[in-house]
Amino acid sequence: GQNIDQPTEMTATEGAIVQINCTYQTSGFNGLFWYQQHAGEAPTFLSYNVLDGLEEKGRFSSFLSRSKGYSYLLLKELQMKDSASYLCAVRAHQAGTALIFGKGTTLSVSS
Amino acid sequence: EADIYQTPRYLVIGTGKKITLECSQTMGHDKMYWYQQDPGMELHLIHYSYGVNSTEKGDLSSESTVSRIRTEHFPLTLESARPSHTSQYLCASRTGTGGRDTQYFGPGTRLTVL
């Protein structure tokens, strides 16, 4: 089976940097995704990692260590609009290679 | 921008009614998925499909059924809705041709059963 853990809530201020951690246990690992979800809306894709290391995309970066079953999402120069839930998801070989999601981390950005 | 659509966006119905939630995508994706998400909770996979005439149940037990007669269409049906079915239902799709291909989500249907 799969198990994905991430903190429930985090708070930060505008302009700051925040790191959201995710640990996972899965069989047949086939990639790790980060999604952003605003309240009442559908998740939108942020990043993808399948090899160890850092992937950078603008203000967002994501890191993966497969041996440790660990990933983090780094958000820089925080803006108020970054207040949302951030979902860590793992793709496994089973279940139609669907993404299996963690509970998500609710990030609140204040001025 | 992902071309995946869900209707209706919001639905309020009484107990015992039969309902069908529609999901369509115009990207020619083979793999499609249904997730259920209660407010503030995680997404749970309830159904998936590899392609036409393929349907499988996901991790979360669900009383709903799905069909995949056409590539672009993956409707979800509840034969007799109950208050416990109140939730948000999210449809998603991907090409299925490689690990990096992104899973795109539709806007969701928020269902309330009275």
Side-chain angles (χ1 to χ4, degrees), chain A residues 50-67:
Chain A
V50 69
L51 300 177
D52 291 353
L54 188 69
E55 293 275 345
E56 297 187 79
K57 189 189 289 187
R59 295 189 298 115
F60 294 72
S61 304
S62 57
F63 172 84
L64 176 68
S65 169
R66 289 172 297 168
S67 63

Side-chain angles (χ1 to χ4, degrees), chain A residues 2 30 33 35 37 40-43 45 48 55 87 91 95-103, chain B residues 31 33 35 37 42-43 45 48 50 59 88 90 94 98-103 105-107 110:
Chain A
Q2 276 90 210
N30 196 24
F33 293 73
Y35 279 78
Q37 185 177 29
E41 297 182 10
F45 170 75
Y48 166 78
E55 293 275 345
L87 312 179
R91 171 167 290 154
T97 61
L99 293 182
I100 306 301
F101 286 84
K103 288 183 167 64
Chain B
K31 295 188 176 179
Y33 310 91
Y35 290 85
Q37 185 181 32
E42 67 210 272
L43 284 84
L45 181 69
Y48 60 96
Y50 290 106
D59 297 335
Q88 173 155 267
L90 289 158
R94 60 183 279 254
R100 181 174 280 274
D101 61 293
T102 303
Q103 188 166 304
F105 283 87
R110 188 169 296 280

Side-chain angles (χ1 to χ4, degrees), chain A residues 9 34 87 96 109:
Chain A
E9 294 179 339
W34 284 94
L87 312 179
V109 180

